[in-house]
Amino acid sequence: MEVLTLGEKIKLKRKEKNLTLKELAGDRITPGQISLVESGKSNPSIELLEYLAERLETDIEYFLESEEKQASRICEFYSNICESAIISENYLRAEELIEKGLFYAQKYNLNYYKAKFEYFYAKIMFKKNDLEGAQLHCLNANSLFLKLDNIDYIIKSFLLLGHISIMMGYITTALNYFIQADGILNEHNHIDEVLKANILYNIAMCYYKLGNNEQAIAFASLAKDKLAALEDKKQYGETLMLLSISYAKENNLNEALRYAKLAKKIFSIIEANREISDIEMNLGMLFSQTGDVQQSFDHLERALRLKMEYKDASVYEALFIYCDNYIKLKDYNKALDLVNRILNDAGDNEKIRIKVYEYLYRIYEAKEDYKNIELSLLEAVKYLENLDYKKELADFYTLLGKFYMKSNEKELALNFINKGLEIYKDLGIILT
């Protein structure tokens, strides 16, 4: 895909129609004149362009479109496909698309697309945990969006800056970014229920992290009223992406752009659902931690429904929060049933299985079921000794040592505690 000069457009259309210079010239002009136009050595009149457009069965607007306008459409194409690639978590592909799009955005000084590609870079770096790089690109994008007065992306960039700040440990800074996003949303009467819910949830989470439970619950309650479920369209979106890329390879920009826009719309819906399910899950966690278990269950149920529908890997996080609620309610049988269900569903997922062992220990300890405490800890140790999760193995050695200490089996207790200590020393957690 490239920006074409007027002469290149004429030559491209002529080749598509399988016409020679003589056949295109007809009785109106000479083949030599067309050759000069195609090579950029001669500028045709409007009358001649109308004649050539008629002969090539195309609109004269196609020939009159400026290079800047073409560049803008190419940037739009790369932007749409890039956004879909990011949602699909194909970051290598997304970075390639950003580089291609940014070339045209910089060459033709298209500030809107410069800002979008900076924003996309920020999203990718955030996903890769390069927080300083993400912050730099996001600030650049935010500055450009503010100059362009692009409300939608001003809000989105403030949101991303908030998320980056949370990961960097700057909760008050994050809260300020989320409040700015909400202020702009309200000031401009920008109607986007998913975006509003996202902002309200993030404000609630910041207040929670800052220890202001009253404000946390107030904003979390506002967020829950804004949530809505959407349909899964992933397969359809991927098909549209394939069509768009195929048309782009044939240099059919109109069709490529049309399908890219449709793919972007579909994947935006998917991303909205993913955001909604994450908000629902986190609201469930928030209400669980603030003691409102029933509210927590309501939100977790909606999160699970969406996450299972979209086969989201974080479905297990929601299930573990569900388990936390059962433990708080002292409904240990339901907690055990759920943990065993997770274990069966997770298959060979090592991290999930390790977490299952942690929950089994918590449940049996709460039940004061000492036989199963010992069995679950021994099984966890046996499992972890064959893996490379040293810190987790040391944690379970320590738990097993403490268990045997309470059981007055001091020799066994010291054996496991010492094993744990040795690993902590090797990892540098404990200094010798």
Side-chain angles (χ1 to χ4, degrees), residues 115-176:
K116 280 196 81 171
F117 292 127
E118 285 279 355
Y119 175 73
F120 291 152
Y121 263 137
K123 288 190 78 170
I124 292 168
M125 289 185 175
F126 179 66
K127 294 287 186 181
K128 292 181 173 182
N129 208 35
D130 179 356
L131 300 179
E132 290 185 359
Q135 185 183 53
L136 178 62
H137 283 287
C138 199
L139 285 169
N140 289 340
N142 181 259
S143 176
L144 286 167
F145 287 133
L146 284 165
K147 289 176 183 176
L148 294 166
D149 201 29
N150 187 295
I151 304 305
D152 191 45
Y153 275 98
I154 290 171
I155 294 168
K156 287 181 178 179
S157 56
F158 272 132
L159 272 172
L160 183 53
L161 283 167
H163 292 308
I164 294 166
S165 298
I166 286 175
M167 292 297 290
M168 295 176 84
Y170 306 133
I171 309 303
T172 302
T173 302
L175 178 60
N176 288 333

Side-chain angles (χ1 to χ4, degrees), residues 258-271:
R258 183 165 76 88
Y259 282 109
K261 285 179 179 178
L262 287 172
K264 176 194 168 186
K265 184 176 180 181
I266 296 301
F267 277 103
S268 293
I269 290 171
I270 292 171
E271 186 174 52

Side-chain angles (χ1 to χ4, degrees), residues 146-419:
L146 284 165
K147 289 176 183 176
L148 294 166
D149 201 29
N150 187 295
I151 304 305
D152 191 45
Y153 275 98
I154 290 171
I155 294 168
K156 287 181 178 179
S157 56
F158 272 132
L159 272 172
L160 183 53
L161 283 167
H163 292 308
I164 294 166
S165 298
I166 286 175
M167 292 297 290
M168 295 176 84
Y170 306 133
I171 309 303
T172 302
T173 302
L175 178 60
N176 288 333
Y177 280 133
F178 294 137
I179 289 173
Q180 284 186 76
D182 193 43
I184 292 167
L185 194 75
N186 296 333
E187 180 185 348
H188 294 271
N189 295 316
H190 193 73
I191 301 170
D192 187 327
E193 296 301 311
V194 174
L195 195 58
K196 182 70 173 179
N198 199 350
I199 292 170
L200 291 171
Y201 160 73
N202 281 291
I203 291 173
M205 185 53 71
C206 283
Y207 277 125
Y208 173 76
K209 288 178 179 292
L210 291 169
N212 190 335
N213 279 353
E214 185 178 344
Q215 285 285 65
I217 291 169
F219 278 95
S221 297
L222 288 172
K224 74 182 178 67
D225 294 333
K226 296 291 181 183
L227 298 170
L230 301 168
E231 295 179 15
D232 181 8
K233 303 282 186 181
K234 187 176 180 182
Q235 188 64 49
Y236 181 44
E238 287 175 351
T239 304
L240 293 172
M241 280 178 65
L242 180 61
L243 279 168
S244 178
I245 293 166
S246 299
Y247 277 118
K249 286 182 177 177
E250 294 179 2
N251 219 48
N252 189 336
L253 186 56
N254 285 331
E255 288 299 291
L257 190 53
R258 183 165 76 88
Y259 282 109
K261 285 179 179 178
L262 287 172
K264 176 194 168 186
K265 184 176 180 181
I266 296 301
F267 277 103
S268 293
I269 290 171
I270 292 171
E271 186 174 52
N273 274 273
R274 188 173 292 154
E275 287 180 359
I276 290 168
S277 69
D278 286 343
I279 293 169
E280 291 282 16
M281 184 182 75
N282 288 319
L283 283 171
M285 179 179 66
L286 188 64
F287 281 116
S288 175
Q289 291 171 340
T290 54
D292 193 339
V293 175
Q294 187 53 55
Q295 279 269 42
S296 176
F297 275 132
D298 291 343
H299 288 288
L300 289 171
E301 187 177 340
R302 288 192 284 272
L304 284 170
R305 187 174 65 249
L306 283 169
K307 288 180 180 297
M308 287 176 176
E309 183 180 347
Y310 291 95
K311 297 178 176 61
D312 191 328
S314 65
V315 67
Y316 295 111
E317 293 178 41
L319 288 171
F320 281 123
I321 300 169
Y322 235 100
C323 191
D324 285 328
N325 285 342
Y326 285 136
I327 294 171
K328 286 178 182 176
L329 293 171
K330 298 183 179 180
D331 195 339
Y332 302 125
N333 289 333
K334 284 187 179 178
L336 280 171
D337 288 343
L338 186 54
V339 167
N340 287 321
R341 173 186 157 194
I342 293 170
L343 185 59
N344 290 332
D345 290 348
D348 295 329
N349 190 316
E350 294 170 352
K351 290 184 178 179
I352 298 299
R353 188 164 178 178
I354 293 167
K355 194 148 188 165
V356 164
Y357 286 128
E358 292 173 8
Y359 272 80
L360 285 172
Y361 169 73
R362 284 181 56 195
I363 295 165
Y364 289 131
E365 185 182 44
K367 288 183 70 176
E368 297 182 352
D369 184 345
Y370 300 113
K371 180 181 177 182
N372 279 311
I373 290 175
E374 182 181 16
L375 288 174
S376 62
L377 288 175
L378 286 170
E379 189 178 340
V381 164
K382 183 179 178 182
Y383 178 68
L384 283 163
E385 283 175 341
N386 296 314
L387 301 176
D388 195 31
Y389 292 89
K390 301 300 183 187
K391 166 68 167 56
E392 289 79 1
L393 177 57
D395 292 341
F396 277 102
Y397 276 147
T398 305
L399 287 173
L400 196 49
K402 289 178 179 178
F403 170 77
Y404 284 127
M405 191 66 76
K406 287 180 182 177
S407 304
N408 207 28
E409 297 183 61
K410 293 183 180 179
E411 189 175 341
L412 271 175
L414 289 171
N415 177 45
F416 285 109
I417 288 172
N418 286 331
K419 284 185 176 183

Side-chain angles (χ1 to χ4, degrees), residues 45-56:
S45 64
I46 293 294
E47 291 76 18
L48 179 55
L49 276 180
E50 288 176 342
Y51 171 76
L52 293 174
E54 183 179 350
R55 298 278 292 173
L56 293 168

